[in-house]
């Protein structure tokens, strides 16, 4: 296997929608507000979605996520957490396709790329972007590395909820429009909070499926994920809660995000979610869950599309 193919495999393409959708959700909020500004807020007609800033935000976010995945691949191998019992996709470090050092260097290269892509964002909004970016890059490594590896302490879901949900969505809104302390901006950031929670929970579903699949292996290597701590039955229940909760909170989305309603475009997301629920109940905790991971990524995309387009299609 050549180096490029190995790195592409280690980026874990099925998980990348988590970062892309979070940025897309932030852009969706700005777009909704610029096109449906309530009457009392007409003085803020200058709110406009900047597509170039949106592109650089996506690129920076995806590079950080890829770096996190690469560090995970390398560090799990260093810690002997990837064994012959592994049920997930092939790991390039543990399999010997690339050295641990080379994978770490690739991770650092993606962090450098994330920094470069963030330069236009810093130019647009200043030091708060640095305040968001530095912790994000540090946590890309600390997810499985450092003195307190989050994934090994059962805190992976909290990390994902924050960085692939709240911070990513609200941070994207900030990149686009900044912040002024008045009711209009408070309402927009309330929308970012609600949608950020929803995106974060659906991203947590991805990691929970991973952890359920790898639970038995992780339990023997000292990787105390939430699935290991809870046991398989409760972990499956938690995964279902991650899936259901965003739908249960849609009422709040209607309050804060303009022009959102139930329409036919929700049908595909609901059907996909229903299939995931059934498979979460019956799919054995082995490599057969890899297909479920891809389905959860698809559902995350469909959920954002439903929020974005649902009210425009009757």
């Amino acid at each position: 296997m050549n180096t490029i193919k190995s790195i592409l495999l280690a980026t874990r393409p099925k998980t990348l929608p988590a970062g892309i959708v979070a940025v897309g959700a932030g852009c969706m909020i700005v777009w909704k507000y610029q096109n449906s500004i309530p009457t009392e807020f007409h003085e803020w007609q200058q709110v406009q979605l900047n597509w170039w800033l949106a592109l650089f935000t996506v690129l920076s976010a995806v590079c950080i996520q890829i770096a996190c995945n690469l560090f995970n691949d390398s560090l799990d191998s260093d810690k002997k957490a990837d064994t012959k019992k592994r049920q997930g996709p092939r790991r390039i470090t543990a399999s010997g396709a690339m050295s641990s050092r080379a994978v770490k260097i690739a991770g650092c290269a993606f962090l450098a790329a994330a920094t470069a892509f963030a330069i236009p964002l810093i130019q647009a909004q200043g030091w708060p972007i640095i305040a968001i970016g530095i912790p994000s890059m540090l946590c890309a490594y600390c997810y499985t590395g450092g003195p307190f590896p989050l994934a090994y302490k059962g805190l992976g879901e909290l990390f994902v909820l924050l960085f692939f949900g709240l911070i990513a969505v609200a941070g994207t809104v900030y990149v686009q429009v900044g912040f002024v302390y008045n009711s209009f901006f408070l309402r927009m950031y309330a929308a970012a909070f609600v949608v950020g929670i929803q995106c974060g929970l659906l991203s947590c579903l991805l990691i929970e499926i991973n952890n359920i699949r790898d639970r038995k292996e992780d339990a023997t290597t000292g990787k105390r994920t939430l699935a290991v701590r809870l046991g398989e039955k409760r972990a499956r229940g938690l995964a279902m809660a991650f899936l259901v909760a965003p739908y249960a909170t849609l009422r709040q989305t209607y309050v804060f995000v303009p022009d959102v309603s139930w329409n036919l475009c929700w049908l595909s997301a609901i059907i996909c979610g229903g299939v995931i629920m059934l498979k979460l109940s019956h799919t054995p905790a082995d490599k057969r869950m890899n297909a479920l991971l891809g389905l959860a990524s698809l559902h995350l995309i469909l959920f954002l599309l439903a929020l974005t387009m649902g009210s425009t299609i009757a």
Side-chain angles (χ1 to χ4, degrees):
M1 184 181 293
N2 60 47
T3 301
I4 295 177
K5 186 176 180 180
S6 295
I7 292 177
L8 287 175
L9 179 65
T11 63
R12 303 183 199 175
K14 289 182 180 179
T15 69
L16 296 183
I20 297 171
V21 166
V23 174
C27 292
M28 177 271 295
I29 290 169
V30 175
W31 178 71
K32 293 275 191 181
Y33 267 83
Q34 81 172 33
N35 286 292
S36 302
I37 297 177
T39 303
E40 65 269 29
F41 298 134
H42 277 178
E43 69 271 20
W44 293 100
Q45 293 280 5
Q46 70 266 30
V47 171
Q48 294 289 324
L49 180 64
N50 186 314
W51 290 102
W52 280 109
L53 288 179
L55 175 62
F56 283 116
T57 306
V58 168
L59 291 173
S60 185
V62 169
C63 283
I64 292 175
Q65 186 179 358
I66 289 174
C68 182
N69 290 340
L70 291 171
F71 289 137
N72 192 333
D73 192 300
S74 173
L75 292 165
D76 274 353
S77 178
D78 292 347
K79 297 172 186 287
K80 309 299 181 185
D82 288 332
T83 69
K84 293 181 180 179
K85 297 179 181 180
R86 178 169 174 76
Q87 298 295 314
R90 182 170 176 259
R91 292 290 189 93
I92 63 171
T93 309
S95 67
M98 290 181 68
S99 69
S100 178
R101 181 174 180 271
V103 176
K104 287 188 181 72
I105 290 173
C108 290
F110 274 99
L111 287 184
T115 302
F117 288 130
I119 291 174
L121 315 183
I122 297 169
Q123 291 174 334
Q125 298 297 348
W127 67 265
I129 304 303
I130 299 174
I132 295 171
I134 290 177
S136 299
M137 290 191 287
L138 286 175
C139 284
Y141 180 83
C142 293
Y143 181 71
T144 47
F148 194 81
L150 299 173
Y152 284 73
K153 305 297 183 181
L155 297 173
E157 289 81 359
L158 179 61
F159 164 80
V160 169
L161 179 63
L162 289 175
F163 285 92
F164 291 91
L166 288 172
I167 293 174
V169 176
T172 299
V173 172
Y174 184 82
V175 165
Q176 290 289 331
V177 300
F179 181 78
V180 177
Y181 187 77
N182 62 27
S183 58
F184 175 76
F185 278 89
L186 289 176
R187 184 167 176 171
M188 189 181 298
Y189 279 96
F193 178 83
V194 173
V195 177
I197 289 287
Q198 293 167 342
C199 289
L201 289 170
L202 292 178
S203 295
C204 284
L205 175 61
L206 296 174
I207 190 176
E208 201 61 34
I209 291 171
N210 260 321
N211 290 343
I212 292 169
R213 181 199 63 207
D214 298 336
R215 187 184 65 84
K216 292 181 180 179
E217 178 190 25
D218 291 339
T220 65
T221 60
K223 192 173 184 179
R224 300 281 294 171
T225 64
L226 204 52
V228 172
R229 294 173 182 271
L230 294 176
E232 183 175 331
K233 184 177 180 179
R234 290 180 179 177
R236 287 178 186 267
L238 180 62
M240 292 180 185
F242 288 149
L243 177 60
V244 171
Y247 290 95
T249 56
L250 280 177
R251 184 179 181 85
Q252 296 304 312
T253 310
Y254 303 152
V255 172
F256 294 111
V257 181
D259 200 28
V260 176
S261 63
W262 282 96
N263 284 288
L264 289 178
C265 63
W266 282 97
L267 186 60
S268 58
I270 293 171
I271 291 174
C272 185
V275 172
I276 293 172
M277 288 286 285
L278 290 174
K279 288 185 175 292
L280 274 172
S281 300
H282 300 102
T283 303
D286 56 28
K287 61 184 178 182
R288 281 170 283 189
M289 293 198 85
N290 293 332
L292 184 55
L293 182 64
L295 197 60
S297 291
L298 173 61
H299 175 263
L300 183 58
I301 296 170
L302 292 174
F303 187 85
L304 175 62
L305 288 176
L307 281 177
T308 304
M309 302 177 65
S311 59
T312 64
I313 301 176

